[in-house]
């Protein structure tokens, strides 16, 4: 019932700077804006490619260091897939964001680079290799070599209890575990789950430090999973014991949405895209 990661959402401290980075530098396209109930600026929707978006929320307060910390429970990084990483890596090197124009070869066989947005959130760009575990897990054909940005490759969380996290994502959301990687010392490092072809979830071990976040905290807010029938999806999740925080309702953008959360409290939106929505029209 869950078909992919539809969007990720970030609260930003400076909207103009964030849009300049994601559109001007990375190549997302400004699609539309949504005002809040009082008519004030609320969300800017950036289109990555068809069916994949980044939601940028106004009003983020920088009250914590978003830089990578291996033991921080919750959001770790997110990743966008590209057809050919070479021009992205060349540009990132030219800008001084990465130390070499040659992308890193990951343990999973994919090439990737890491950059940071103006608020310090890590963004990975990946080019999938046909032999990688992600591509091996595909159920349909994957089109290699497409130009530009091709989708949300994954969202990554550091979890406090891997067993609980896997139980939630595998048994309740139905994602398949496709790969477990170990670190340099041979210790369990991360688990890779398949959401859909080309879209995955990375779960890192070792979360201990829980950072309390306010609604106004800058940084990652939630990920959104697109689904078929929202009522059926919600009933199926409820039947398996997943918490339903918000029952299905139609949002201001005409899409149907509901909310759940994982065992570490990461917020997960479920969305049934409506044909009249700005997302569908974008
Ligand atoms: Fe990653
Ligand atoms: Fe959202």
């Amino acid at each position: 019932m869950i078909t992919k990661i539809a969007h990720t959402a970030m609260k930003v401290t400076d909207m103009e700077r964030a849009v300049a980075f994601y559109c001007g530098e990375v190549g997302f396209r400004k699609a539309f804006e949504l005002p809040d109930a009082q008519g004030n600026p609320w969300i800017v929707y950036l289109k990555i490619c068809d069916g994949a978006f980044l939601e940028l929320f106004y009003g983020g307060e920088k009250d914590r260091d978003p830089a990578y910390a291996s033991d921080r429970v919750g959001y770790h990084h997110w990743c966008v897939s590209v057809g050919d990483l070479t021009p992205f890596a060349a540009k990132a090197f030219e800008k001084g964001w990465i130390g070499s124009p040659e992308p890193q070869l990951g343990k999973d066989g994919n090439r990737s680079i890491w950059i940071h947005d103006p608020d310090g959130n890590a963004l990975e760009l990946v080019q999938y290799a046909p032999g990688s575990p992600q591509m091996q897990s595909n159920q349909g054909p994957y089109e290699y070599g497409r130009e530009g940005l091709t989708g949300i490759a994954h969202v990554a969380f550091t979890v406090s209890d891997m067993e609980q996290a896997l139980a939630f994502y595998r048994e309740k959301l139905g994602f398949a575990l496709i790969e477990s990687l170990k670190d340099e010392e041979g210790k369990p490092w991360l688990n890779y789950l398949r959401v859909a072809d080309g879209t995955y979830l990375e779960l890192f071990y070792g979360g201990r430090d829980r950072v309390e976040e306010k609604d106004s905290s800058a940084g990652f807010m939630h990920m959104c999973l697109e689904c078929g029938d929202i009522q059926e999806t919600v009933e199926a999740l409820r039947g398996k014991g997943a918490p339903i925080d918000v029952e299905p309702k139609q949002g201001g953008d005409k899409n149907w949405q509901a909310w759940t959360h994982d065992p570490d409290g990461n917020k997960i939106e479920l969305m049934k895209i409506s044909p009249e929505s700005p997302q569908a029209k974008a």
Side-chain angles (χ1 to χ4, degrees):
M1 275 179 276
I2 289 166
T3 52
K4 66 176 177 221
I5 299 176
H7 65 253
T8 60
M10 302 269 183
K11 193 157 268 203
V12 302
T13 55
D14 182 332
M15 185 60 79
E16 223 173 292
R17 202 173 55 152
V19 170
F21 172 79
Y22 282 108
C23 295
E25 308 287 5
V26 188
F28 297 2
R29 191 169 61 74
K30 196 166 170 183
F32 58 92
E33 295 201 34
L34 294 176
D36 67 10
Q38 286 76 44
N40 299 315
W42 185 38
I43 310 176
V44 175
Y45 244 84
L46 306 184
K47 180 176 168 177
I48 300 166
C49 61
D50 278 353
F53 297 89
L54 170 64
E55 284 182 349
L56 295 178
F57 284 72
Y58 286 89
E61 279 173 56
K62 194 145 195 162
D63 52 12
R64 72 203 151 96
D65 178 8
Y68 170 76
S70 64
D71 61 350
R72 186 182 295 155
V73 175
Y75 175 74
H76 188 287
H77 69 278
W78 73 298
C79 177
V80 168
S81 54
V82 300
D84 178 6
L85 190 56
T86 311
F88 289 93
K91 184 176 176 185
F93 178 64
E94 202 185 286
K95 293 258 173 195
W97 295 338
I98 55 174
S100 154
E102 194 46 50
Q104 293 174 348
L105 180 65
K107 287 182 191 196
D108 53 11
N110 299 313
R111 296 192 317 146
S112 68
I113 60 168
W114 279 67
I115 57 178
H116 291 85
D117 76 9
D119 279 325
N121 301 295
L123 169 67
E124 184 183 1
L125 294 169
V126 70
Q127 179 183 341
Y128 288 127
S132 66
Q134 291 88 345
M135 293 296 94
Q136 294 293 317
S137 77
N138 282 347
Q139 292 177 1
Y142 187 82
E143 212 187 303
Y144 294 97
R146 276 176 296 167
E147 295 247 328
L149 305 157
T150 57
I152 295 176
H154 57 261
V155 170
F157 295 120
T158 301
V159 306
S160 61
D161 183 325
M162 187 59 80
E163 222 171 292
Q164 268 189 35
L166 285 177
F168 176 81
Y169 285 109
R170 294 173 80 182
E171 290 154 27
K172 296 185 170 63
L173 293 193
F175 303 164
L177 178 65
I178 59 168
E179 179 84 346
S180 298
L181 294 176
K182 293 191 161 61
D183 67 10
E184 265 74 45
E185 290 150 33
K187 287 199 293 242
W189 182 45
L190 82 89
N191 286 307
Y192 231 97
L193 293 106
R194 176 187 175 279
V195 178
D197 284 358
T199 301
Y200 311 88
L201 186 69
E202 280 184 354
L203 299 178
F204 285 88
Y205 286 87
R208 280 179 299 271
D209 184 18
R210 192 178 297 269
V211 180
E212 285 315 320
E213 282 172 34
K214 297 180 287 191
D215 280 348
S216 58
S217 294
F220 181 80
M221 295 171 76
H222 61 268
M223 73 166 169
C224 173
L225 301 171
E226 195 172 320
C227 59
D229 187 301
I230 194 144
Q231 206 63 52
E232 269 178 39
T233 304
V234 164
E235 288 322 319
L237 291 185
R238 200 193 321 271
K240 290 175 189 163
I244 303 300
D245 303 319
V246 178
E247 295 292 333
K249 63 169 189 200
Q250 200 167 19
D253 57 7
K254 305 267 196 321
N255 296 311
W256 285 86
Q257 52 159 284
W259 291 80
T260 180
H261 65 269
D262 76 5
D264 278 323
N266 296 305
K267 289 180 185 151
I268 301 171
E269 183 179 9
L270 299 159
M271 191 180 262
K272 160 82 182 161
I273 300 285
S274 152
E276 312 86 81
S277 71
Q279 286 88 338
K281 288 182 182 146

